[in-house]
Each structure stands twice: as C-alpha cells, then as structure tokens.
Amino acid sequence: MIRRLVRVGLLPTCLLLAGCDNWQSALDTHGPSALSLKHLIIFIVAVCSIVWALVMIGMITALWRRRGERPRPTELLPERERRMGRVVTALVGLTTIIIAIFTLASFVTTHALSVAGPDDLTVRVRGLQWWWSVEYTGPDPSQRFETANEIHVPVGRNVHLLLEGDDVIHSFWVPSLAGKQDLIPGRLNEITIRADRAGTYRGQCAEFCGLQHAHMAFLVIAQEPADFERWADAQRAPAVQADDEEIATGRDVFMAKPCAGCHTIRGTQAAGTPGPDLTHIGSRRTIAAGLFETTRGSLAAWIADPQTLKPGNNMPLVPLTPDELRAVSAYLASLK
C-alpha cells in the first residue's frame, strides 16, 4: 500500500520534471547568461527550501513539546519574554540579510546580461504584432541585411541585441541562452546572448501582446563561425531570379498584386515595409512566427487565407486564382 502511494505521489512530480528539458527550458542552458540565471534560481530555491524546512521543524517542535502546568497561565515571565524577544530579533535580522543577499545576487546577475563589448555582433530586433523583425547592423551599410523570426548567431561570440517594440510591449525570451527582456515602444532595451555550442534554440514572446501572443515564436540558430559567415553572405545577396516558367509567373503575380506594397524582396521592385522581408523566405525554417514549417504547401495555405490560420494578423486576404496561388507559392519557396 505504501509503495502504491509513493508511486502515485511521484507521478505528478515526474510529469512536472518532464517539462524542464527541451529546446525551450530555463534549466537546459547552453550559454553563460542562461547558466548564471540557472545558478541564481537554484540558489534562491535552495535557501528558501532550507528556511521553509527550519520553520516547519520549529513549528512542529513547538506544537509537540509538553509544557508543565502553570497556576496563572496569563502571567508573563520576564526571562522568557526576553529570550523570545532575542529570538525574534535574530530571525528578523537573518531575514533581512537573506533578502539583501537575494537582491544583490539578482542585481549582479541581471546587470551582466546587458554588458556589451566592442567585438560583439550587433543585431536589432523589433517586436510587432505578431512577428519579429531582425536586422543585422554594422559600420558598413553594405553588410547590413534584414530577416524575420530567425536569429542566426556564431558559436562562442557575444551577440548584442538591441530590442525595440513598435506597437505594444513584447518580451524577448530564449530561455536556453538568456533571460527575459521587454521590448517597449519608444525605448531601446539591450541584452547580450552567447551560444556555447551549435544548435537550434526556441524563443517566445513572454509578455501578453494581443490576440496571437501565443503564436509569436522565433528561433535562435547557433552555427560554427564559418557556417554563420556563409549564411550571412547568402542573406546579404539579392533574391535569385530563377528561369523556371512557373516561378517567373509567380514573381510577376507577386509584383502586380498588393504583396509588393507590404513586403521587400531585394533585387526586385518589391520594397514594402509593413510586413517581413521575404528576400530569402524559402531558407527559413518556419513562417508566421513559428506557426508552420516552411514548405510550398504551408506558404500556399498562408497566402490563401492568413486570417483563418492566424486570426487578427495584419496580412490582408489577396484574391488569387488557383493558378496564381500555385505560382506565387512556388516563387516564394524558391527564395533560398
């Protein structure tokens, strides 16, 4: 019977612990910032657990301790009152010291998250309803380019993120690499991340920002430095103009429809800014801020009816014939 009760009690614990290991977990750390936050969490939880255990032990001891009968129970004993006063004073002082240590440790840990150096890679991230604009900056304008919903970083190098909110407050959070930082309209916030090994890390908006807050994810893709440079060179290049007839037809339809007024495709006449830059959309792993994997089918479904797939987003329904839809989806999928 006891074994059965133990098993039943362990089941909820195992289910909770199962959520602590994945590509979006603050306990599965792969960077110095996330590791510092993990150590801070463990330190605070450990101290609080010890305090709780001591309080429980003290309370149980007081309840179970036998006291001798007193002829006048309401009479105050001066020596006992002084002893209790000293105990309470010591506990209040200890509580103050613990809170001060927690405050200092939190300040030191969080302050280090935004420290930037001259050799850091600088990336500007804007949060919008409901997607992420990612701009790689640099002193040379020719080295700058823009993408969306994906942040590629070189392994072992600090990446200084400049965070801005364009409409409402968003919150940038990639738990395996760093803590949370708000994106506030009219204010520039900063955070520094670094990945210690190659991999893909999922991030999420952590501040309720509207109807599609839950569908506002992004990926941080850490690559070896040589692989990152190849990716960056490919992203700086304009869109490749394919010779395929269907793709060429899709390009013409895209330029003729309102799509070109909302999106930019470098190397073409499309220079819109309200929506994501689509120059290399075919090379991204997801579309619609992590809602679907990037395939020709998902692109076609999104173009055909974006409001059904992600209600409330700012992309209007553009009327297309079936042939036009197939051609446009083929064109976008070709933009590697």
Side-chain angles (χ1 to χ4, degrees):
M1 179 61 126
I2 295 178
R3 290 182 178 178
R4 187 174 299 174
L5 291 174
V6 171
R7 291 174 182 173
V8 172
L10 288 177
L11 181 60
T13 303
C14 294
L15 291 175
L16 290 173
L17 291 176
C20 296
D21 182 26
N22 210 319
W23 65 340
Q24 186 174 312
S25 171
L27 300 181
D28 183 22
T29 58
H30 297 277
S33 296
L35 185 61
S36 298
L37 291 172
K38 179 181 176 180
H39 289 163
L40 177 64
I41 293 171
I42 293 174
F43 170 68
I44 292 176
V45 171
V47 173
C48 290
S49 299
I50 293 172
V51 171
W52 177 84
L54 293 176
V55 170
M56 292 299 104
I57 292 172
M59 184 180 69
I60 293 172
T61 302
L63 291 174
W64 281 8
R65 187 177 62 183
R66 292 186 178 182
R67 297 178 175 84
E69 294 185 1
R70 295 169 55 188
R72 287 180 289 182
T74 59
E75 181 183 5
L76 298 178
L77 302 177
E79 181 60 30
R80 182 181 179 185
E81 292 298 317
R82 284 194 295 270
R83 186 170 64 251
M84 292 178 61
R86 287 194 292 269
V87 171
V88 171
T89 301
L91 292 177
V92 170
L94 183 60
T95 301
T96 303
I97 292 172
I98 292 174
I99 294 175
I101 292 174
F102 283 173
T103 303
L104 180 62
S106 299
F107 173 79
V108 172
T109 301
T110 54
H111 177 71
L113 300 181
S114 58
V115 174
D119 297 329
D120 293 353
L121 174 66
T122 301
V123 180
R124 185 178 297 272
V125 179
R126 292 187 301 129
L128 303 101
Q129 293 178 309
W130 288 273
W131 59 284
W132 304 87
S133 171
V134 181
E135 180 186 358
Y136 287 76
T137 64
D140 185 357
S142 65
Q143 300 298 304
R144 301 177 185 177
F145 62 91
E146 188 172 339
T147 182
N149 304 318
E150 279 189 8
I151 304 173
H152 288 242
V153 300
V155 171
R157 183 180 177 186
N158 287 344
V159 180
H160 185 213
L161 301 178
L162 306 177
L163 306 176
E164 298 177 298
D166 271 22
D167 34 45
V168 299
I169 296 177
H170 302 278
S171 185
F172 182 92
W173 185 43
V174 51
S176 291
L177 298 179
K180 300 175 184 177
Q181 183 63 275
D182 286 347
L183 295 84
I184 302 174
R187 174 177 175 179
L188 182 66
N189 281 344
E190 305 174 17
I191 192 170
T192 299
I193 65 173
R194 191 180 80 194
D196 287 336
R197 72 179 189 185
T200 301
Y201 307 98
R202 189 179 190 274
Q204 177 70 39
C205 178
E207 179 80 24
F208 180 72
C209 56
L211 181 63
Q212 290 298 326
H213 161 69
H215 294 148
M216 189 173 174
F218 61 92
L219 297 178
V220 176
I221 302 172
Q223 302 172 290
E224 295 299 333
D227 295 332
F228 171 78
E229 290 301 331
R230 283 193 290 270
W231 173 84
D233 289 339
Q235 293 295 308
R236 293 185 187 101
V240 177
Q241 305 297 318
D243 295 331
D244 183 88
E245 182 178 352
E246 184 180 37
I247 293 176
T249 300
R251 181 177 62 246
D252 294 339
V253 173
F254 187 95
M255 300 304 162
K257 297 289 183 176
C259 315
C262 291
H263 298 280
T264 292
I265 299 180
R266 283 175 275 119
T268 71
Q269 298 174 351
T273 56
D277 187 306
L278 302 181
T279 305
H280 298 288
I281 186 175
S283 67
R284 297 172 196 162
R285 303 193 181 190
T286 64
I287 62 171
L291 194 59
F292 301 106
E293 292 185 5
T294 304
T295 65
R296 182 176 175 181
S298 62
L299 286 167
W302 176 257
I303 297 167
D305 195 353
Q307 293 304 319
T308 296
L309 300 180
K310 195 170 183 177
N313 77 87
N314 291 326
M315 180 169 170
L317 176 62
V318 178
L320 297 173
T321 66
D323 289 339
E324 289 176 334
L325 180 60
R326 284 191 290 269
V328 171
S329 63
Y331 171 59
L332 294 179
S334 74
L335 297 177
K336 301 293 187 177

